[in-house]
């Protein structure tokens, strides 16, 4: 059993993927081939925005937007405390200060009320200039953008949606990566839509921002990469990865999103009275980068993880350490008690195998072991 089975995905789409790769090899357009512009149009149309700019990876995607917005030393960027390191890393990389915010216990996404209180505290302290909110669409579920954007408007802040795990999700039909002033995603292989290496993309309706990012990502190019009008970086998506993503995007839209949500419903039907299962609010649709349950304590979580691994069932803890406790951020001052929910989640969450090709008999096997383990604990 695989945690996220990329092997069977390839086997099911082998002919189309091999053909797409061979096309790139035949034409030797390894950088900047036609598949790049084709993919960017397909992605923009799918998400429902004017511009999609591909780049080398999801971390670069976030950093490129912050660079284009001139986020720098003295600026405060608000980031959920329960997320992958990259979301806060890019803030520090650009010289600004990440300010961590506690999350909602049900959705695991940034808590709008905690966000509002945290911004008010930073404003009152007067040491940093609040500039950007980076909500994360954790585990495939979009954040609460209706409330987040109200907070952003109140304090005149930009919103950068981190959709690295959320591509394919939606709120009342509005697609993930279409929220805020700009959005990003990652095509890391294990993401809902992944390539066979690293890759990322930026989405926006802002013409000027799109033009600027297209310059920054290729050495600050002007009319060409040999006409350099600003300091930039080198962050391009390879043509082979774009060709692979074109094939996988079609399968993702037509089959995989429905399939992964069927897996979610099967898990929930079997586990909802046994453990705390994922909650999807009304009107929301998740692309399920992860299926994450909650246990009553760290000890029980660790025991269950051990039990599952003994039966060769892969399971992971996302995330075992909150952002504010990462050594890389140790120079900043945080009060641990401000992150009650994040600390609780880090001790109690466990992610189970989750992908569109997970078989019903595999789900039954996983759930049977969990049920047996929980019943044993009640004796």
């Amino acid at each position: 059993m695989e945690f996220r089975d990329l092997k069977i995905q390839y086997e099911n789409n082998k002919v189309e993927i091999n053909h797409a790769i061979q096309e790139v090899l035949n034409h030797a357009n390894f950088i900047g081939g036609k598949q790049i512009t084709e993919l960017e149009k397909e992605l923009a149309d799918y998400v429902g925005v004017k511009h999609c700019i591909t780049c080398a990876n999801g971390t670069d995607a976030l950093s490129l937007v912050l660079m284009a917005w001139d986020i720098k030393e003295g600026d405060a960027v608000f980031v959920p405390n329960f997320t992958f390191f990259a979301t806060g890393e890019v803030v520090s990389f650009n010289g600004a200060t990440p300010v961590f915010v506690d999350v909602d216990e049900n959705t695991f996404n940034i808590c709008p009320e905690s966000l509002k209180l945290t911004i008010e505290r930073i404003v009152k302290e007067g040491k940093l200039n609040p500039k950007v909110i980076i909500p994360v669409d954790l585990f495939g579920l979009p954040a609460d953008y209706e409330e987040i954007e109200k907070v952003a408007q109140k304090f005149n802040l930009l919103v950068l949606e981190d959709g690295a795990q959320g591509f394919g999700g939606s709120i009342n039909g509005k697609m993930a990566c279409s929220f805020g002033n700009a959005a990003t995603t990652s095509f890391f292989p294990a993401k809902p839509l992944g390539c066979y290496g690293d890759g990322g993309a930026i989405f926006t309706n802002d013409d000027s921002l799109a033009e600027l990012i297209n310059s920054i990502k290729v050495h600050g190019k002007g009319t060409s990469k040999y006409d350099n009008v600003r300091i930039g970086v080198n962050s391009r998506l390879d043509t082979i990865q774009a060709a692979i993503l074109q094939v996988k995007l079609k399968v993702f839209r037509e089959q995989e999103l429905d399939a992964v949500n069927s897996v979610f419903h099967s898990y929930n039907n079997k586990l909802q009275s046994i453990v705390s299962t994922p909650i999807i609010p009304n009107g929301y649709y998740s692309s399920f980068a992860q299926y994450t349950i909650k246990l009553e304590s760290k000890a029980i979580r660790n025991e269950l993880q051990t039990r599952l691994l003994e039966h060769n069932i892969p399971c992971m803890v996302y995330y075992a350490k909150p952002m504010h406790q990462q050594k890389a951020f140790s120079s900043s001052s945080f009060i641990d008690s401000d992150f009650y929910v994040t600390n609780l989640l880090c001790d109690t969450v466990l992610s189970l195998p989750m992908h569109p090709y997970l078989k019903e008999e595999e789900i039954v096997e996983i759930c049977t072991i969990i049920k047996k383990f929980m019943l044993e604990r009640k004796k």
Side-chain angles (χ1 to χ4, degrees):
M1 191 183 301
E2 299 287 337
F3 187 74
R4 195 161 188 96
D5 200 336
L6 301 179
K7 297 173 187 174
I8 191 170
Q9 182 191 53
Y10 171 65
E11 286 299 322
N12 283 13
N13 302 284
K14 186 184 218 175
V15 173
E16 294 83 359
I17 290 171
N18 287 355
H19 176 74
I21 293 172
Q22 191 62 52
E23 278 287 299
V24 178
L25 298 177
N26 289 343
H27 292 90
N29 291 325
F30 304 114
I31 302 291
K34 67 180 180 66
Q35 290 88 344
I36 297 289
T37 51
E38 290 173 354
L39 175 67
E40 288 177 339
K41 184 179 186 311
E42 290 168 13
L43 290 169
D45 289 346
Y46 175 65
V47 168
V49 297
K50 290 173 67 176
H51 304 283
C52 170
I53 306 108
T54 55
C55 60
N57 55 70
T59 304
D60 276 5
L62 290 167
S63 189
L64 284 164
V65 178
L66 295 181
M67 289 173 70
W69 285 342
D70 193 29
I71 302 304
K72 56 189 182 298
E73 185 176 357
D75 293 338
V77 178
F78 300 90
V79 176
N81 199 17
F82 188 65
T83 187
F84 181 61
F85 182 70
T87 314
E89 177 185 32
V90 296
V91 178
S92 295
F93 181 78
N94 281 275
T97 300
V99 179
F100 301 119
V101 180
D102 209 2
V103 296
D104 182 90
E105 190 172 354
N106 292 321
T107 66
F108 307 158
N109 284 328
I110 195 167
C111 173
E113 182 59 27
S114 294
L115 174 64
K116 176 176 170 290
L117 293 173
T118 303
I119 296 170
E120 288 175 344
R121 174 175 62 81
I122 294 298
V123 170
K124 185 177 180 181
E125 289 174 356
K127 297 176 182 178
L128 297 169
N129 301 314
K131 287 293 185 71
V132 181
I133 303 165
I134 309 183
V136 176
D137 301 338
L138 202 71
F139 302 156
L141 181 68
D144 185 353
Y145 288 101
E146 182 178 356
E147 293 303 316
I148 291 166
E149 288 175 358
K150 288 178 185 176
V151 175
Q153 288 170 10
K154 178 178 179 179
F155 294 98
N156 195 29
L157 303 181
L158 294 163
V159 176
L160 171 55
E161 176 188 0
D162 182 348
Q165 299 180 25
F167 189 83
S170 62
I171 304 175
N172 296 320
K174 183 173 169 60
M175 300 301 295
C177 295
S178 70
F179 297 98
N181 303 91
T184 67
T185 197
S186 167
F187 300 126
F188 181 79
K191 293 295 191 287
L193 177 63
C195 57
Y196 289 160
D198 272 317
I202 299 151
F203 300 87
T204 186
N205 288 312
D206 186 328
D207 297 341
S208 297
L209 179 64
E211 182 179 3
L212 182 54
I213 291 171
N214 268 313
S215 169
I216 294 172
K217 80 167 197 174
V218 187
H219 303 289
K221 71 183 179 81
T223 55
S224 76
K225 67 179 179 180
Y226 301 110
D227 170 36
N228 307 101
V229 298
R230 57 180 55 87
I231 300 299
V233 298
N234 178 21
S235 185
R236 298 170 295 202
L237 183 70
D238 296 337
T239 307
I240 284 178
Q241 301 299 347
I244 292 165
L245 284 166
Q246 283 185 290
V247 175
K248 293 183 73 174
L249 176 60
K250 184 174 186 295
V251 177
F252 179 76
R253 296 177 64 172
E254 295 178 358
Q255 301 172 24
E256 291 186 344
L257 272 176
D258 285 343
V260 82
N261 273 273
S262 292
V263 173
F264 154 66
H265 289 297
S266 183
Y267 263 137
N268 265 27
N269 289 338
K270 295 174 179 62
L271 292 176
Q272 60 185 352
S273 61
I274 308 298
V275 294
S276 178
T277 56
I279 294 172
I280 308 300
N282 289 337
Y284 284 65
Y285 185 79
S286 176
S287 56
F288 281 101
Q290 308 291 348
Y291 181 90
T292 302
I293 61 174
K294 289 186 293 184
L295 285 305
E296 293 177 5
S297 69
K298 186 174 184 177
I300 296 173
R301 189 270 306 281
N302 292 348
E303 286 178 32
L304 177 57
Q305 184 178 28
T306 299
R307 177 71 62 86
L308 289 166
L309 292 173
E310 287 172 351
H311 287 81
N312 297 314
I313 294 172
C315 51
M316 304 287 290
V317 175
Y318 297 110
Y319 299 92
K321 183 185 284 190
M323 296 282 273
H324 77 281
Q325 291 181 12
Q326 298 289 344
K327 184 177 180 181
F329 299 125
S330 60
S331 61
S332 300
S333 59
F334 304 106
I335 301 172
D336 196 62
S337 59
D338 286 344
F339 307 112
Y340 171 79
V341 175
T342 296
N343 291 332
L344 179 66
L345 293 177
C346 287
D347 285 345
T348 58
V349 294
L350 185 64
S351 295
L352 305 178
M354 185 59 163
H355 57 82
Y357 304 93
L358 196 64
K359 298 175 183 175
E360 179 64 19
E361 54 264 35
E362 292 175 319
I363 300 171
V364 169
E365 179 186 359
I366 295 164
C367 295
T368 299
I369 293 169
I370 294 173
K371 288 178 183 178
K372 184 178 179 182
F373 171 83
M374 296 305 290
L375 285 172
E376 287 172 1
R377 289 201 58 82
K378 290 180 180 180
K379 291 180 181 179

